[in-house]
Amino acid sequence: MQELIITEIYKFAFIFLRLGSALMLMPGYSSSYVNTRFRLSIAIICSIILIPFLNDYLPAPAATPSENLRIFFLEIGYGIFLGILMQLMYFAINLCGNFVGQASGFANAQMFDPTSQNQSIVTETFLSIITITVIFMTNLHHVMLSAVIDSYEVWRVGDIFMVEDTAKYLTEVMNKSFVIGFKLGSPFIAFTLIFYTGMGLLSRLMPQLNIFFLSLPLQIYLGLGLLLMTCPIMIMSFCRYYEDGLMQFIK
């Protein structure tokens, strides 16, 4: 009985370390307004529930403490990798919000973003909060947890952490996230070019017109109007991209 209890404790630790490390960095779960005890409770409860389902993927405790410690650090590394991966994918909507802020004249209007825990442009914070709300409303947070759970088929407990391959993969995800963010913000990039070109031509045609008093209110109104029209499409496109990125870890 004592040996069985020790084995189950080790299995719980294998799951808890990977899942808990990922929860510390997952979008939404890692936000400052989420209580630390709440995140810890989710990790503990999910780890206990998952022991019977992941039993085939969990090895018996190693013979030496040093080997068990090595496995613990590997599990923490895999959890951190998955959490960073999800954050890099989420970076696309932050980049899009930056483009929106630059185009609509809110580049200098900053506020605290609870999802990234730093100061950011108002429109970036707005899109970030709306996106994380939609993720939880559409149960995409379940897909995030499923990606961590099914990652045991990709990386078994105790497998060697391939630093070079994971670094290369994170670079590819970051590159794709930048491309998606650029595509989502492309209407505002085009709007910025057209607007400033028009204002430049207007200032040449009417030199007596004070272009600064005219351009800023017009830029704000047109930028917010464009955001109102494109916001649902941007959020929907991002959620589809986010789901597709997570599905590769799900069997």
Side-chain angles (χ1 to χ4, degrees):
M1 180 63 69
Q2 183 179 0
E3 183 179 353
L4 178 62
I5 293 175
I6 294 175
T7 302
E8 293 301 316
I9 291 175
Y10 270 95
K11 290 180 179 180
F12 165 79
F14 292 151
I15 300 175
F16 175 76
L17 290 175
R18 182 180 297 195
L19 183 61
S21 301
L23 280 172
M24 288 194 306
L25 299 172
M26 280 184 188
Y29 294 101
S30 62
S31 301
S32 60
Y33 50 76
V34 178
N35 192 281
T36 306
R37 293 182 179 179
F38 180 72
R39 287 199 296 265
L40 182 61
S41 301
I42 293 177
I44 292 176
I45 294 172
C46 290
S47 300
I48 295 174
I49 295 173
L50 290 172
I51 291 176
F53 299 98
L54 298 176
N55 191 55
D56 296 336
Y57 302 100
L58 303 175
T64 59
S66 60
E67 180 64 18
N68 287 321
L69 190 62
R70 184 187 71 88
I71 296 176
F72 288 162
F73 279 113
L74 285 174
E75 290 304 298
I76 294 174
Y78 284 126
I80 292 175
F81 167 75
L82 291 169
I84 292 176
L85 177 68
M86 296 177 192
Q87 281 287 1
L88 288 178
M89 293 170 59
Y90 191 78
F91 170 73
I93 199 67
N94 292 327
L95 181 63
C96 175
N98 195 288
F99 288 142
V100 174
Q102 297 289 341
S104 56
F106 288 105
N108 294 324
Q110 297 190 357
M111 63 180 296
F112 178 75
D113 185 359
T115 58
S116 61
Q117 302 182 31
N118 55 20
Q119 294 289 331
S120 61
I121 301 175
V122 172
T123 52
E124 183 179 341
T125 303
F126 169 75
L127 287 178
S128 180
I129 294 176
I130 291 294
T131 302
I132 204 66
T133 303
V134 173
I135 285 176
F136 278 83
M137 288 179 61
T138 56
N139 290 331
L140 271 180
H141 62 292
H142 293 169
V143 181
M144 289 193 288
L145 293 175
S146 298
V148 178
I149 295 168
D150 289 345
S151 67
Y152 284 93
E153 291 200 359
V154 182
W155 302 295
R156 298 288 182 124
V157 176
D159 284 353
I160 299 176
F161 192 81
M162 307 299 293
V163 178
E164 183 177 353
D165 293 340
T166 53
K168 181 180 179 182
Y169 185 71
L170 287 177
T171 304
E172 293 175 356
V173 171
M174 182 182 296
N175 180 56
K176 187 175 181 180
S177 181
F178 179 82
V179 172
I180 295 297
F182 188 85
K183 288 181 179 179
L184 293 176
S186 57
F188 295 90
I189 298 174
F191 165 75
T192 302
L193 294 174
I194 295 173
F195 180 79
Y196 281 110
T197 301
M199 289 296 102
L201 292 175
L202 186 61
S203 65
R204 289 295 182 179
L205 293 174
M206 300 179 63
Q208 68 277 12
L209 178 66
N210 194 330
I211 199 66
F212 295 102
F213 286 97
L214 175 65
S215 61
L216 186 57
L218 189 61
Q219 182 182 9
I220 293 175
Y221 287 132
L222 293 178
L224 292 180
L226 183 61
L227 176 62
L228 183 64
M229 291 186 294
T230 59
C231 185
I233 301 174
M234 288 191 301
I235 300 299
M236 183 177 62
S237 300
F238 172 79
C239 289
R240 188 180 299 114
Y241 152 73
Y242 200 73
E243 182 179 10
D244 292 340
L246 295 174
M247 288 301 293
Q248 59 188 320
F249 293 100
I250 300 177
K251 59 184 177 182

